[in-house]
Amino acid sequence: MKKELFVPGRTELAGNHTDHQNGRVLASAIDLGLYAVCETNGSKMIHVQSEGFKSFDVRCDHQLVRTTEFGTPKALVRGVVSAFAELGLKVGGFNAVVKSTLPVGAGLSSSAAFAVLVARVFNGLYNNNELEPKAIAQLAQQAENLHFGKPCGLMDQTASAVGNLVTIDFFDKTHPVITPVNFDFAACGHALCIIDSRASHADLTDEYAAIPGELKAVCAYFGKEVLSQIPEDAFYAAIPALRRECGDRAVLRSMHFYAENARVPQQVEALQSGDFDRFLSLIQESGNSSWMYLQNVTPAGRTDRQEVAAALGLCRHYLHGRGASRVHGGGFAGTVQAFVPFDLLDGFRAGIDAALGQGACHVLSIRPQGGVEMIPEETA
């Protein structure tokens, strides 16, 4: 059996670091992603060949976590195999050739897209496409958390699997509420840009893990698992004790969560009502909160290399007080996001590329579908 698939990357429009606290997000699939051609091979061996990367093999019956594989595509394949097997779903060997249009390190969730892609392969080749996109996203997240070593929430995988522009409420993490948002970005007079700061994600795992780790300490004070289970008033009333027990950064990061989680429905309402200026204002509020309270712009103690901060500074300079810009995704490295008025786009792009390198500024389009199986056109 042979399948051709496409799985998109994602961009986060609202809800910076809210998903791992079972909060709310606004995200979208984009027009860049992963293409794959795959077919069963009648064995227990999975063979993956990706353009520009060394090919690798994974056995379907070797499912234990291997910490030496953390951060590798091999770990994601092994994690998806394990997740399928735990649910009693069918797995088997296949050969796959993968091509990516996602810029390397651009913060568009290539790891989540790859995990969703592998889940789609198993779903199509061995399970008659029985799994819904939401379930595929959850299996992909499990693979990232346990086998890839990335303590991420469910936003990236959901946006990649479901597609289009959606708002997601993760309060019940086993049954996230996914709601489509109707808005025509092509008619808003702004380009959605992702700017590659040219900073490496290498050696930043501890920075990313510290965010949910510190928030977990705050939750432990209340005997809860995530901040969305704790009333905001109770959190603010407990700040004196929390500052002593958890430290100020944990408190500030919690402040970000409550404000950011409340912003998401406000941004959705602004889009649905056609108030794009209000949406941009909230985008900028989000960016300011991430920088000031969440503190995921500059790795702790780094003074000589502050690439994300520099990229944000450049965005604000070339936006001339219009549009909006914010840190995108996990932060610390990778990308920033900017909404650029069409009349400023050429100058904005030229200025960013001149400062950060040619091709640093990417203009994205919203993709109406998530991961899909492509049907080859019949030839006469």
Side-chain angles (χ1 to χ4, degrees):
M1 182 183 297
K2 185 175 182 179
K3 300 281 186 181
E4 296 183 25
L5 303 170
F6 175 77
V7 171
R10 72 92 184 97
T11 186
E12 164 204 291
L13 300 175
N16 194 219
H17 279 278
T18 54
D19 56 338
H20 53 68
Q21 296 303 303
N22 294 7
R24 308 182 189 100
V25 301
L26 175 66
S28 174
I30 60 173
D31 56 333
L32 305 177
L34 304 177
Y35 294 87
V37 177
C38 56
E39 61 182 344
T40 55
N41 59 23
S43 74
K44 294 183 179 180
M45 187 68 72
I46 298 165
H47 178 76
V48 179
Q49 181 178 340
S50 297
E51 185 179 47
F53 296 91
K54 186 177 180 180
S55 62
F56 63 88
D57 299 309
V58 175
R59 283 186 61 90
C60 288
D61 51 354
H62 292 179
Q63 300 170 10
L64 296 178
V65 174
R66 301 184 180 187
T67 57
T68 56
E69 291 181 352
F70 277 5
T72 68
K74 181 181 285 192
L76 291 173
V77 173
R78 200 181 306 280
V80 173
V81 171
S82 176
F84 267 71
E86 282 182 19
L87 293 179
L89 297 166
K90 296 178 182 178
V91 296
F94 63 84
N95 300 325
V97 177
V98 181
K99 176 180 175 61
S100 175
T101 58
L102 292 169
V104 176
L108 300 174
S109 292
S110 57
S111 63
F114 185 73
V116 169
L117 174 66
V118 177
R120 286 286 320 217
V121 171
F122 281 124
N123 197 36
L125 291 182
Y126 289 102
N127 294 278
N128 298 313
N129 288 315
E130 294 175 1
L131 292 179
E132 296 294 324
K134 187 188 299 186
I136 287 175
Q138 291 169 326
L139 293 177
Q141 182 206 19
Q142 180 177 324
E144 286 207 74
N145 288 169
L146 299 182
H147 288 257
F148 193 68
K150 182 178 180 180
C152 58
L154 189 57
M155 176 186 67
D156 297 351
Q157 302 83 0
T158 302
S160 184
V162 174
N164 211 349
L165 179 63
V166 293
T167 184
I168 313 166
D169 189 334
F170 292 110
F171 184 76
D172 180 353
K173 64 181 180 181
T174 59
H175 299 94
V177 178
I178 303 170
T179 307
V181 178
N182 294 319
F183 183 78
D184 182 9
F185 268 101
C188 70
H190 289 67
L192 171 57
C193 296
I194 292 294
I195 294 89
D196 187 352
S197 70
R198 309 297 196 186
S200 171
H201 288 88
D203 301 324
L204 290 175
T205 299
D206 289 346
E207 292 281 4
Y208 296 123
I211 295 176
E214 290 177 10
L215 299 184
K216 186 175 183 179
V218 172
C219 294
Y221 175 87
F222 294 94
K224 301 294 184 181
E225 293 184 359
V226 289
L227 285 175
S228 60
Q229 299 170 344
I230 303 167
E232 185 175 2
D233 289 347
F235 161 75
Y236 273 95
I239 279 182
L242 292 171
R243 292 183 66 193
R244 290 193 300 270
E245 295 195 17
C246 306
D248 281 347
R249 191 170 70 169
V251 169
L252 290 168
R253 285 174 162 172
S254 300
M255 289 180 178
H256 166 81
F257 168 80
Y258 286 108
E260 185 78 347
N261 203 44
R263 254 188 300 272
V264 173
Q266 296 173 28
Q267 288 173 266
V268 171
E269 193 279 329
L271 289 178
Q272 291 178 328
S273 66
D275 190 349
F276 197 68
D277 287 341
R278 173 62 174 157
F279 174 77
L280 291 176
S281 176
L282 291 165
I283 285 283
Q284 197 58 66
E285 284 184 19
S286 172
N288 294 342
S289 179
S290 292
W291 203 336
M292 294 170 61
Y293 301 115
L294 184 61
Q295 300 180 41
N296 67 331
V297 169
T298 303
R302 185 173 296 179
T303 58
D304 58 333
R305 304 296 301 176
Q306 299 188 6
E307 293 94 340
V308 175
L312 286 168
L314 288 166
C315 286
R316 295 199 181 187
H317 173 73
Y318 288 111
L319 283 171
H320 303 292
R322 299 168 62 191
S325 58
R326 64 194 279 273
V327 64
H328 181 252
F332 301 112
T335 59
V336 303
Q337 181 185 77
F339 288 86
V340 183
F342 286 150
D343 63 295
L344 295 181
L345 182 58
D346 288 346
F348 179 90
R349 199 173 194 174
I352 294 294
D353 284 356
L356 301 181
Q358 196 64 34
C361 181
H362 304 274
V363 180
L364 303 180
S365 296
I366 304 299
R367 177 180 166 81
Q369 294 175 306
V372 295
E373 182 177 325
M374 297 184 294
I375 308 298
E377 293 183 4
E378 293 185 4
T379 57

